Amino acid sequence: MQKYEKLEKIGEGTYGTVFKAKNRETHEIVALKRVRLDDDDEGVPSSALREICLLKELKHKNIVRLHDVLHSDKKLTLVFEFCDQDLKKYFDSCNGDLDPEIVKSFLFQLLKGLGFCHSRNVLHRDLKPQNLLINRNGELKLADFGLARAFGIPVRCYSAEAQPCPQVTLDHMDTLLGTPTEEQWPAMTKLPDYKPYPMYPATTSLVNVVPKLNATGRDLLQNLLKCNPVQRISAEEALQHPYFSDFCPP
Ligand code: ADP
Ligand code: MG
């Protein structure tokens, strides 16, 4: 840890605190994520270390690079490349007024990073604006993944805002898209822990939710939001969708 000079705190999440820091030798700016571990735990679970080592090998320009893992006693510090801000803060600063070309570029990069993860059999499982980091030059990188699988249950309870319970999320999606019927998703009722729940009709059309998105964009979104995984478009397929036909990656 002497290698790094801690600068300001940049985030506080489920697993620990994130600091901006400077490598004293190279002056490189990094993000340090300190993972809290339960006092009664016997150090870092080996499964977590294994998972983190896998993430170290996940090298892609749209995935935040994990430079190093510092491990001592009951502390674990992950050293990441530093990014300027997360997408949630960017959205908040734009007041909902997003440039459609930037939306396209961010989605393209998100799908590139995700497709790479999937090709390596890694699932993110917590995609949301707070976990997508961006740089001033328009780069977007996936962050904060693997840990869910590495550690299982978080040390600190999720707040309602940080992590809505599945039912809230499902209800929200159902009122927007309509509850999937058995016809649309035959395997649904065979899922473990499946419980019948209220059938909502779709209450609105995507045009009202994303009025600035053009018709091809709405078609892609509709395909990304399919509940039935057999029908849902994959990251690789999504990159080939007509929505991106006029997009030139930098
Ligand atoms: P948690 O598992 O606690 O949610 P995250 O890895 O998502 O941890 O980090 C929490 C927040 O810290 C992020 O939402 C982001 O704002 C900030 N952050 C995390 N990593 C970086 C990074 N490499 N560069 C800049 N900011 C970061
Ligand atoms: Mg996070």
Side-chain angles (χ1 to χ4, degrees):
M1 274 311 295
Q2 283 76 3
K3 217 168 129 184
Y4 298 97
E5 178 191 344
K6 248 198 232 167
L7 307 171
E8 74 262 23
K9 183 168 153 178
I10 45 179
E12 175 87 54
T14 320
Y15 292 100
T17 313
V18 184
F19 289 93
K20 183 175 181 176
K22 186 162 88 176
N23 184 316
R24 290 183 205 272
E25 264 173 45
T26 64
H27 300 284
E28 187 188 13
I29 299 291
V30 294
L32 297 180
K33 182 166 174 174
R34 172 83 58 81
V35 179
R36 277 189 296 258
L37 299 161
D38 266 341
D39 289 339
D40 48 2
D41 267 359
E42 291 178 12
V44 181
S46 57
S47 59
L49 286 177
R50 243 195 326 271
E51 188 71 27
I52 289 162
C53 289
L54 281 180
L55 294 181
K56 262 185 94 173
E57 297 312 312
L58 217 57
K59 294 178 186 167
H60 189 273
K61 66 174 188 292
N62 299 119
I63 296 173
V64 73
R65 181 67 58 84
L66 175 57
H67 290 310
D68 213 352
V69 181
L70 310 173
H71 174 207
S72 65
D73 299 333
K74 290 177 176 179
K75 273 190 242 137
L76 193 64
T77 304
L78 309 184
V79 184
F80 289 100
E81 88 177 274
F82 177 80
C83 297
D84 293 322
Q85 66 173 337
D86 68 52
L87 200 59
K88 167 85 165 55
K89 289 178 194 139
Y90 176 73
F91 283 166
D92 290 346
S93 73
C94 295
N95 277 322
D97 192 19
L98 293 167
D99 179 324
E101 286 312 303
I102 293 184
V103 172
K104 193 172 284 191
S105 169
F106 281 168
L107 181 60
F108 186 86
Q109 297 179 73
L110 194 171
L111 292 167
K112 276 276 183 192
L114 199 58
F116 182 81
C117 293
H118 295 171
S119 73
R120 301 288 187 283
N121 294 322
V122 172
L123 300 179
H124 187 288
R125 311 207 300 183
D126 197 13
L127 282 176
K128 58 184 178 186
Q130 293 95 317
N131 292 339
L132 298 170
L133 304 179
I134 57 171
N135 282 325
R136 263 176 277 254
N137 61 5
E139 282 173 338
L140 176 141
K141 291 164 194 270
L142 271 60
D144 193 14
F145 58 116
L147 282 189
R149 200 167 79 177
F151 289 96
I153 299 151
V155 176
R156 202 158 65 97
C157 277
Y158 290 117
S159 75
E161 203 238 3
Q163 186 70 40
C165 76
Q167 193 58 54
V168 174
T169 316
L170 287 174
D171 284 350
H172 185 69
M173 284 180 67
D174 283 356
T175 46
L176 174 62
L177 305 166
T179 311
T181 61
E182 264 201 83
E183 211 169 63
Q184 289 162 330
W185 188 3
M188 172 175 72
T189 57
K190 309 283 180 311
L191 291 172
D193 298 329
Y194 169 80
K195 286 182 198 73
Y197 60 101
M199 295 293 287
Y200 296 104
T203 48
T204 182
S205 132
L206 280 182
V207 191
N208 302 323
V209 185
V210 279
K212 285 204 278 175
L213 190 64
N214 62 24
T216 48
R218 287 199 305 274
D219 181 77
L220 174 56
L221 184 57
Q222 197 90 53
N223 281 298
L224 288 166
L225 292 175
K226 288 253 162 57
C227 286
N228 184 347
V230 176
Q231 290 165 0
R232 195 183 313 134
I233 196 167
S234 71
E236 274 308 320
E237 288 162 349
L239 286 163
Q240 305 304 322
H241 189 276
Y243 173 64
F244 292 115
S245 60
D246 62 351
F247 177 72
C248 310

